[in-house]
Amino acid sequence: MKKKLLSIGLATACAANLFAGETLQLNLVPERGYLVRNSPQEVVIKIDLAAVANRHKARRTPLNLAVVLDKSGSMTGAKLEKTKQAAMQLVDRLAPNDVFSLVIFSDEARVLVPAQKVADKDALKEKIESIQAGGSTALYAGVKTGAEQISEYFSSQRINRIILLSDGLANVGPSTPRDLRRLGSDLAERGMAVTTIGVGDDYNEDLMAGLAEASDANYYYVRDTETLPEIFAKELGDMLAVAARDVRIEILCPNGVKPLGFIGRAERFENQKAMVNLSQFTTGQNRYLFLRCLVNGAKSELARVNVKYKDELADGSEQSASRVASIDFTDDQTVSEKSVNGEVVAQKELILTAVAKDEAMAQADAGNYRQAAQTLSAQNAALNRAYAVAPAGVQIQIRAETNNLSDFTGQLDRGAYGSASRKVMQEQSYNTRNSK
């Protein structure tokens, strides 16, 4: 196991490509380089993890894949036909050492293809082609049955993934977002992730997004069924491009630094320590955490971050890295203000935009459309302020988000905000908060 420990201050805060040549690169950047001495202040630390993009995989990590398909009555027609087409194209791209299973659900869940190595693709596609729509939506049972199929060939040497597709409300068995989040968390602890694909405007997006988020997988909202083959192909492409997985991040704050939590994430600190688990990184992917801290005193060390992961660009062995975020102190308020890192401030506002969208959705759900519009307008103003200090690449992201917020605010003001608008807003929030 490789292990490295570095301390970072102002001089190296923006250093790029730490641990050059290694698969997962860790960088810690406070939002400013100086704090005023002996004045309690909040500071945000960007925890930046990036998978290298310029290294080829030494091997193809085999897959253990369960596809769980809704075949309820509402799937009749183009939805089911495009779903079957996408699933058959997925089978065509699997390798002989991959494991594939197929579960269908309506009133109950049924295993159509038991977990098996991919030997006879034509036989697998015939099974997919035979699916007919009808019945209710036992979504929870479908996912549990898919997990049981994954368990048949479960291995830490495989990527163990469930792909769930549904177009309706779960109405048989456990059916609340809390139920599905709990299931997602349980599966994540067992080494499985659940990608969810919601089709049309009638499914429960809180349930589908919550399940995916709890297991750190992808979530898609699909309005046009013509895009289903493309989404299945993207999901398979991500699995084949995994650079690091089973990523465990430990964050420790010393005495004198009070951790206030992560922006847009639910993980909590206990005894100055928190753990964040991420399922995987694809090659070239960046994922961020933003940690809020209250600094009481003049202690330079803000946080120590330890990362462990399986290196899929090498031989799958466990690697680790550690780094310390530190800050300098000054008696001059002007020095502190001038040391602000514009990129971190702007990226923080992008995460806060996702939080604002979540708040606005809750307000609109309660019928408070005006309050929801005000929440989005206030965040739009904050983004415009951040635009002035952001680098060019982040300015592009900010402009896209200000346009999104203006569109949603207009819909709320006109009374045009509906199910489709909510699903779009939530998908945007999900992807921002989870660096997808």
mmCIF file of all heavy atoms in Angstrom, residues 70-77 79 133-135 137 167-168 202:
data_model
loop_
_atom_site.group_PDB
_atom_site.id
_atom_site.type_symbol
_atom_site.label_atom_id
_atom_site.label_comp_id
_atom_site.label_asym_id
_atom_site.label_seq_id
_atom_site.Cartn_x
_atom_site.Cartn_y
_atom_site.Cartn_z
ATOM 1 N N ASP A 70 -38.990 -2.057 -14.974
ATOM 2 C CA ASP A 70 -40.415 -1.891 -14.708
ATOM 3 C C ASP A 70 -41.188 -2.351 -15.950
ATOM 4 O O ASP A 70 -40.964 -1.850 -17.053
ATOM 5 C CB ASP A 70 -40.671 -0.402 -14.431
ATOM 6 C CG ASP A 70 -42.108 -0.083 -14.083
ATOM 7 O OD1 ASP A 70 -42.972 -0.955 -14.246
ATOM 8 O OD2 ASP A 70 -42.353 1.062 -13.665
ATOM 9 N N LYS A 71 -42.101 -3.313 -15.765
ATOM 10 C CA LYS A 71 -42.935 -3.746 -16.890
ATOM 11 C C LYS A 71 -44.424 -3.523 -16.571
ATOM 12 O O LYS A 71 -45.307 -4.195 -17.116
ATOM 13 C CB LYS A 71 -42.673 -5.219 -17.228
ATOM 14 C CG LYS A 71 -43.251 -6.219 -16.244
ATOM 15 C CD LYS A 71 -43.187 -7.617 -16.832
ATOM 16 C CE LYS A 71 -44.215 -8.532 -16.188
ATOM 17 N NZ LYS A 71 -45.575 -8.258 -16.669
ATOM 18 N N SER A 72 -44.680 -2.566 -15.684
ATOM 19 C CA SER A 72 -46.071 -2.282 -15.318
ATOM 20 C C SER A 72 -46.846 -1.758 -16.525
ATOM 21 O O SER A 72 -46.268 -1.431 -17.570
ATOM 22 C CB SER A 72 -46.118 -1.262 -14.178
ATOM 23 O OG SER A 72 -45.504 -0.052 -14.575
ATOM 24 N N GLY A 73 -48.159 -1.661 -16.370
ATOM 25 C CA GLY A 73 -49.010 -1.294 -17.487
ATOM 26 C C GLY A 73 -48.664 0.029 -18.133
ATOM 27 O O GLY A 73 -48.833 0.208 -19.348
ATOM 28 N N SER A 74 -48.161 0.974 -17.350
ATOM 29 C CA SER A 74 -47.832 2.295 -17.898
ATOM 30 C C SER A 74 -46.643 2.262 -18.845
ATOM 31 O O SER A 74 -46.390 3.232 -19.563
ATOM 32 C CB SER A 74 -47.561 3.278 -16.758
ATOM 33 O OG SER A 74 -46.494 2.814 -15.947
ATOM 34 N N MET A 75 -45.897 1.149 -18.862
ATOM 35 C CA MET A 75 -44.744 1.034 -19.756
ATOM 36 C C MET A 75 -45.153 0.580 -21.163
ATOM 37 O O MET A 75 -44.300 0.470 -22.055
ATOM 38 C CB MET A 75 -43.735 0.042 -19.179
ATOM 39 C CG MET A 75 -42.963 0.539 -17.987
ATOM 40 S SD MET A 75 -41.736 1.815 -18.404
ATOM 41 C CE MET A 75 -40.543 0.864 -19.351
ATOM 42 N N THR A 76 -46.422 0.316 -21.387
ATOM 43 C CA THR A 76 -46.890 -0.165 -22.693
ATOM 44 C C THR A 76 -46.490 0.800 -23.808
ATOM 45 O O THR A 76 -46.585 2.018 -23.656
ATOM 46 C CB THR A 76 -48.419 -0.329 -22.687
ATOM 47 O OG1 THR A 76 -48.794 -1.264 -21.680
ATOM 48 C CG2 THR A 76 -48.917 -0.825 -24.035
ATOM 49 N N GLY A 77 -46.058 0.226 -24.939
ATOM 50 C CA GLY A 77 -45.756 1.052 -26.105
ATOM 51 C C GLY A 77 -44.297 1.412 -26.226
ATOM 52 O O GLY A 77 -43.405 0.602 -25.968
ATOM 53 N N LYS A 79 -42.239 3.246 -24.546
ATOM 54 C CA LYS A 79 -41.350 3.173 -23.375
ATOM 55 C C LYS A 79 -40.723 1.793 -23.262
ATOM 56 O O LYS A 79 -39.506 1.652 -23.114
ATOM 57 C CB LYS A 79 -42.131 3.491 -22.099
ATOM 58 C CG LYS A 79 -42.524 4.939 -21.922
ATOM 59 C CD LYS A 79 -43.281 5.101 -20.608
ATOM 60 C CE LYS A 79 -43.795 6.520 -20.433
ATOM 61 N NZ LYS A 79 -44.575 6.664 -19.179
ATOM 62 N N ALA A 133 -45.777 -5.717 -21.120
ATOM 63 C CA ALA A 133 -46.194 -4.801 -20.054
ATOM 64 C C ALA A 133 -47.506 -5.245 -19.420
ATOM 65 O O ALA A 133 -48.350 -5.873 -20.057
ATOM 66 C CB ALA A 133 -46.332 -3.388 -20.600
ATOM 67 N N GLY A 134 -47.676 -4.881 -18.120
ATOM 68 C CA GLY A 134 -48.920 -5.144 -17.414
ATOM 69 C C GLY A 134 -48.711 -5.200 -15.917
ATOM 70 O O GLY A 134 -47.683 -5.683 -15.456
ATOM 71 N N GLY A 135 -49.681 -4.687 -15.142
ATOM 72 C CA GLY A 135 -49.599 -4.792 -13.698
ATOM 73 C C GLY A 135 -49.221 -3.500 -13.002
ATOM 74 O O GLY A 135 -49.195 -2.424 -13.598
ATOM 75 N N THR A 137 -46.579 -1.647 -9.673
ATOM 76 C CA THR A 137 -45.169 -1.245 -9.614
ATOM 77 C C THR A 137 -44.552 -1.633 -8.280
ATOM 78 O O THR A 137 -44.503 -0.828 -7.337
ATOM 79 C CB THR A 137 -45.026 0.276 -9.850
ATOM 80 O OG1 THR A 137 -45.759 0.645 -11.012
ATOM 81 C CG2 THR A 137 -43.561 0.654 -10.043
ATOM 82 N N ASP A 167 -41.076 3.992 -14.729
ATOM 83 C CA ASP A 167 -41.795 5.184 -15.187
ATOM 84 C C ASP A 167 -42.948 5.558 -14.264
ATOM 85 O O ASP A 167 -43.703 6.484 -14.567
ATOM 86 C CB ASP A 167 -42.344 4.967 -16.598
ATOM 87 C CG ASP A 167 -43.597 4.097 -16.613
ATOM 88 O OD1 ASP A 167 -43.706 3.198 -15.747
ATOM 89 O OD2 ASP A 167 -44.460 4.304 -17.478
ATOM 90 N N GLY A 168 -43.122 4.820 -13.151
ATOM 91 C CA GLY A 168 -44.311 5.063 -12.330
ATOM 92 C C GLY A 168 -44.022 5.154 -10.853
ATOM 93 O O GLY A 168 -42.882 5.022 -10.404
ATOM 94 N N ASP A 202 -44.311 10.828 -14.463
ATOM 95 C CA ASP A 202 -45.202 10.286 -13.436
ATOM 96 C C ASP A 202 -44.487 9.568 -12.299
ATOM 97 O O ASP A 202 -45.109 9.227 -11.298
ATOM 98 C CB ASP A 202 -46.212 9.326 -14.076
ATOM 99 C CG ASP A 202 -47.149 10.032 -15.042
ATOM 100 O OD1 ASP A 202 -47.469 11.204 -14.789
ATOM 101 O OD2 ASP A 202 -47.529 9.410 -16.055
#
